[in-house]
Amino acid sequence: MQLIEQLWPEVERTRQLDAPHLGPLSTTFLISMSMPIINLPIERIERRRSNEAGAYADDRHIDAEISAAVDRELGGQAFSRARFYREGEWRFVTTSRSPLPNLANALPDEIVDQLESDEAASAASKMSTSQWCGILRNALAHGGIAYLDVYGRSSYGSPVAMLLFGSGRYDRESGELVGVNLLRIKQSDYRAFLHRWVAWLSDSGLSALFAAA
């Protein structure tokens, strides 16, 4: 987070050489820097709840109180109760309609409208924090990210204003892709969210745990 804040003024002055009209490279920088901020605590603690044998990157055993704090915050409670949640920032839509959206293509108008709705904001507040962090983790880990303009549409030829995180839903028996979960947030709100996420990591002791490791 310190790197993000101290380097941000320089990032805002840096533009893609062959496409300066697309604005500063702040989106690329923000996504790149946020990957370890989000995924390390999720992967090394929250995703280790099953305590599977042979886990090779498992911090849960180091401090039981920290693990319990993660369980409380990232467990089954409503996302709206999380300390890093702010009303209206996130939008959540899940779809199983055929054809399923491919984030490599332009976002369908139907999905754009759904993500803009009050229902999508309400759905985000009511989803479990565990589901929210699972979608965000999967999107960051597997490239399920789409870049949207100020109108929430695919940003081809326009500066990025919003981020869309997508995570597939698969049939447990066949392994077939049966749906897609989508989270949307403004880029400015995502940066503000990272501040609150890092503050929670620090207050819970997680940041010190990773530094000690």
Side-chain angles (χ1 to χ4, degrees):
M1 199 69 238
Q2 181 182 347
L3 286 172
I4 291 175
E5 292 310 306
Q6 291 191 359
L7 295 177
W8 195 257
E10 184 63 30
V11 170
E12 289 193 312
R13 292 191 291 268
T14 305
R15 296 179 178 244
Q16 187 173 327
L17 294 178
D18 60 347
H21 65 284
L22 293 179
L25 292 173
S26 53
T27 305
T28 301
F29 178 69
L30 197 58
I31 290 294
S32 300
M33 296 298 294
S34 68
M35 285 181 179
I37 294 175
I38 299 295
N39 280 9
L40 278 177
I42 291 177
E43 283 293 328
R44 295 175 68 103
I45 293 184
E46 196 273 341
R47 295 286 122 168
R48 299 293 175 231
R49 284 183 186 174
S50 60
N51 197 28
E52 66 269 29
Y56 60 87
D58 186 353
D59 286 318
R60 293 181 67 85
H61 69 284
I62 297 177
D63 192 313
E65 291 186 6
I66 292 177
S67 295
V70 172
D71 286 344
R72 286 193 300 270
E73 203 72 23
L74 301 184
Q77 70 171 348
F79 183 32
S80 60
R81 297 181 60 188
R83 291 174 51 188
F84 37 80
Y85 171 85
R86 288 297 180 273
E87 184 176 357
E89 281 187 345
W90 295 90
R91 305 295 175 99
F92 172 58
V93 164
T94 184
T95 181
S96 56
R97 294 189 61 178
S98 181
L100 293 173
N102 182 347
L103 298 187
N105 301 324
L107 198 64
D109 289 343
E110 179 184 6
I111 299 295
V112 171
D113 293 341
Q114 288 177 346
L115 286 166
E116 189 61 30
S117 68
D118 293 338
E119 288 79 6
S122 177
S125 71
K126 295 175 182 177
M127 69 190 306
S128 71
T129 310
S130 179
Q131 183 184 25
W132 166 83
C133 73
I135 296 170
L136 188 58
R137 170 261 180 203
N138 288 346
L140 288 170
H142 301 293
I145 304 172
Y147 305 103
L148 310 179
D149 63 17
V150 67
Y151 303 108
R153 300 185 180 278
S154 300
S155 62
Y156 306 122
S158 302
V160 176
M162 302 182 188
L163 303 170
L164 185 69
F165 300 98
S167 176
R169 292 188 286 109
Y170 295 87
D171 183 88
R172 291 186 178 182
E173 294 184 1
S174 68
E176 178 185 0
L177 180 67
V178 295
V180 180
N181 293 324
L182 300 168
L183 284 170
R184 195 195 77 178
I185 188 171
K186 294 179 181 178
Q187 178 176 283
S188 57
D189 287 341
Y190 186 68
R191 183 181 169 201
F193 148 72
L194 286 176
H195 273 284
R196 297 192 299 273
W197 173 267
V198 169
W200 167 66
L201 292 177
S202 179
D203 291 345
S204 68
L206 271 169
S207 58
L209 184 153
F210 287 129

